[in-house]
Amino acid sequence: MKAAIKQVKLTLIVKGHKKEIPCYVFRYTERAQDIPDFPLGGNTVTIKKIVDGERIETVYLPLYCGFDIETTNVIEEDKKAAYMYHWQFAIASDEVGYIYLGRTWDMFIDLYRRIVYNYKLGSNKKLLVFDANLGFEWQFLRKRFEWDSENFFAREERHPLAAPTVDGWDFREALSISGGSLAQLAKDFTTTQKLKGDLDYDIPRSFKTPLTEDEENYCINDVAILAEFSSFIFDKYIYPDKKIPLTKTGLLRSEVRNELKKCLSYNEIKTYKQLVKNAFPDKETYAYWFRWLFRGGYVHANISNTGYTIYGAIGEDETSAYPAWMNFGYYPGTPFIPVYDLENFNNYINTKCCIITVEFEGLERRTSISYESKHKCMELEGAIIDNGRIAMAKRIKVVITELDYKIYEKIYKWQKMTVKCMWVSDRIRLPKFILNVLNRHYLNKARMKKAGLSGTPEYAIEKAGVNASFGMMCTRLELEKVTATKEGEWKIEENALDFEAEKGKQILLPQWGIWVCAWGRWALFQPGFKIIEELGSDYIIYNDTDSYKCIKHPRVLEIFEQYNKWIAKRLQLAGLTDPAFDDLGMFDLESPNITRIKTLGAKRYLTEEDGKIKATIAGMPKSAILNMDGDPFEKFDILGMELTADISEKNTVHYEDNATSWKAPDGAVMTELSSAAIYPISFSMKLDKFYRAFIESDLEERKVL
């Protein structure tokens, strides 16, 4: 095609099948007189929603678009800013695609206006444009366009998921749907792949700086990936469901709603929703539960194995722990009611779902394992803290479930326990329509993996469906609304949503998410309690939500095998008899021969296996370990660890909300109305002085022994 600098291919998903189309690449000029007309789409998609009782219909063009920019950083002591020196935009129909490469914002605004005019875009006719990291790009766009604040959606400030303009461009975050990075998105969903390497942020560039062919191809592929991903989203979700997904969790929730309609009649759905509404807590109780009752996964380093290198260990990982206990566990099925006949405490613990506000006096752990989080203590006196968890306390007041209480009985002993109040609910299994969707994804995922299809988009969908189940169960009602003004300024509205109205829309109970987590902790401890009983707590090195690092011993392996046999019976009882479910909830010996391991607390440990050292250190990129001189195990010390920026590979973002300008070395004057600079920083790991003293005292005891 005339004026195209090259032709590439896009592989789209059209009516469920891959279709290869020609895609022409153009360099955008000041007036863009030599670019072709934009592609014509097929049938438009009408998306309907109810706003304040009024039905709103919005037409989306069936065009697959992606947008991305390249920036150069200017990092000075008193100024940190970045400047766009190259943008790329892809637009494709089912028949042809175009990719435009431009160098200035004036060029992009010209393209933007041409597309608005060409398609007659506006508030009710829109173009969907995917962006891999919308929070970054939007920081550059925010003051250049007028935004549709009513339909703008962000999970938090600086992180928009949907950023529509008043002119009908609807920018959407792609990675919130796919998860991971753009490279992972491409691997999972598209034929075009991200090219290796990156455009160096440290090289000063301007709109005059020529790009090499490799650098230009890098830019082209980034938006080609987004266009192909857009075609997949249209084909899989937008065309059939008439909805645009925002997140993986949202996709699964939509599936569950559809399954509800399949499983229940209209009247049964009404009855079910009323049951949910009746069992849903009021606003104050809801906040109280998530502040004091809700706990996440158990992540902790055993103090007796912290601070020094251990030789000879294993790593056991529980397969899909949360999905397993969504199937195996019981859940609250009726409204919580208070009980006062506390002489029946043990009966309630064994037969009901319980929320217990309880005070312990003279609390002390039985072994070297600590459980309760300091953050979840309503009242705390005379405590010794073990890396954020309670080792012992003169007095402690907490809110716990019956599953937590059973863990308490094994982990702690106490002088006195006073139940302040106790609420109970009848036990049920999770509704069939939830488990149907979850288990369908798990079954398909397992079968596809066995068939060697783990590199397909279909596998990625099934895997995402399984992984999103926990997030779906634990999603909270956010009454705070984060949006943006028309001028691109962040705006946070407190109590923007009506709690009672939002409650009426729910099909899941928040207490189910609380119990999913409780079951995860309870299940994790079952083999651990057996290890402690038979071998002692010193054989446990580290726990992280659904995994163990243990000192290598034949009996440790046998205990996990025994646990798996018990799980096999649970699978049968749950009716999950298909061989694809055989590993659900079971521990897998993922690391049979860890030659060295060293931990310095939660999310801080090194392992060596097959001669390769791996690091899990909160805040530090895993690859940084490869840049260290000498033995990382020696540098990883209770005295702390400092890594310079060139070694740490750690980046941070500075958001500049004011206009800046910069004269590039080639004389070009660059300006931004707002920007975001990503730049490398050093990494520092320091231990809390009390925790360090705790480790040192324990090390001294071990030295004496």
Side-chain angles (χ1 to χ4, degrees), residues 138 148-154 156-157 481-485 489-493:
W138 193 77
D148 176 4
S149 58
E150 289 302 311
N151 294 299
F152 193 100
F153 178 79
E156 58 183 295
E157 192 172 335
K481 184 179 180 182
V482 181
T483 185
T485 65
E489 298 297 334
W490 286 105
K491 180 181 177 183
I492 300 176
E493 299 176 33

Side-chain angles (χ1 to χ4, degrees), residues 272-469:
Y272 172 76
K273 286 188 174 181
Q274 189 60 49
L275 290 172
V276 169
K277 191 172 182 180
N278 292 342
F280 211 96
D282 59 35
K283 186 176 179 180
E284 290 71 25
T285 303
Y286 185 88
Y288 181 87
W289 281 359
F290 278 105
R291 174 62 187 93
W292 300 114
L293 180 63
F294 177 84
R295 290 159 176 76
Y298 179 77
V299 182
H300 198 59
N302 183 353
I303 190 67
S304 68
N305 288 316
T306 299
Y308 73 108
T309 301
I310 297 170
Y311 295 86
I314 61 165
E316 293 270 3
D317 283 60
E318 193 178 359
T319 303
S320 298
Y322 290 128
W325 286 95
M326 286 171 66
N327 276 286
F328 303 155
Y330 58 75
Y331 290 83
T334 57
F336 277 93
I337 59 172
V339 293
Y340 304 101
D341 52 335
L342 295 180
E343 63 274 10
N344 288 321
F345 178 82
N346 288 329
N347 181 53
Y348 288 131
I349 288 291
N350 293 317
T351 61
K352 300 284 186 179
C353 290
C354 304
I355 297 176
I356 317 151
T357 301
V358 59
E359 182 179 278
F360 297 99
E361 295 179 39
L363 185 81
E364 185 179 349
R365 64 185 183 185
R366 297 177 183 273
T367 65
S368 57
I369 305 293
S370 303
Y371 175 65
E372 186 58 270
S373 170
K374 178 186 176 184
H375 177 64
K376 291 298 177 179
C377 297
M378 301 177 76
E379 297 177 13
L380 185 62
E381 292 179 14
I384 294 178
I385 309 300
D386 173 7
N387 197 204
R389 297 189 180 272
I390 309 301
M392 57 183 65
K394 181 179 179 182
R395 188 178 70 86
I396 180 176
K397 182 180 177 182
V398 290
V399 185
I400 56 177
T401 70
E402 78 287 352
L403 293 168
D404 291 304
Y405 177 76
K406 290 177 181 179
I407 296 172
Y408 260 73
E409 286 187 305
K410 294 281 191 178
I411 297 291
Y412 295 114
K413 55 186 176 181
W414 51 82
Q415 295 172 2
K416 182 181 178 182
M417 182 183 84
T418 305
V419 177
K420 298 295 184 179
C421 62
M422 186 172 186
W423 296 67
V424 301
S425 169
D426 291 340
R427 297 175 176 181
I428 63 165
R429 284 194 69 195
L430 286 178
K432 185 178 179 181
F433 64 86
I434 298 174
L435 297 180
N436 283 354
V437 173
L438 168 63
N439 293 335
R440 185 162 59 238
H441 280 298
Y442 193 89
L443 188 66
N444 292 340
K445 169 180 169 280
R447 286 174 173 172
M448 293 176 76
K449 186 175 182 180
K450 189 174 181 180
L453 299 173
S454 57
T456 63
E458 291 75 18
Y459 178 83
I461 293 170
E462 304 302 341
K463 182 179 179 181
V466 175
N467 293 344
S469 60

Side-chain angles (χ1 to χ4, degrees), residues 28 38 43 60 75 123 148 198 256 258 277 319 372 391 422 504 521 548 555 663 685:
Y28 211 83
F38 303 107
N43 296 323
Y60 278 85
I75 307 298
S123 60
D148 176 4
D198 206 341
V256 168
N258 292 336
K277 191 172 182 180
T319 303
E372 186 58 270
M422 186 172 186
R521 296 188 300 274
Y548 276 87
R555 183 56 189 147
K663 188 173 183 179
M685 184 197 75

Side-chain angles (χ1 to χ4, degrees), residues 53 98 129 315 376 418 485 499 641:
Y98 303 137
V129 181
K376 291 298 177 179
T418 305
T485 65
F499 183 85
M641 186 170 70

Side-chain angles (χ1 to χ4, degrees), residues 11 78 100 249 253 278 623:
T11 304
D78 59 341
Y100 302 107
T249 301
R253 190 181 295 110
N278 292 342
S623 55

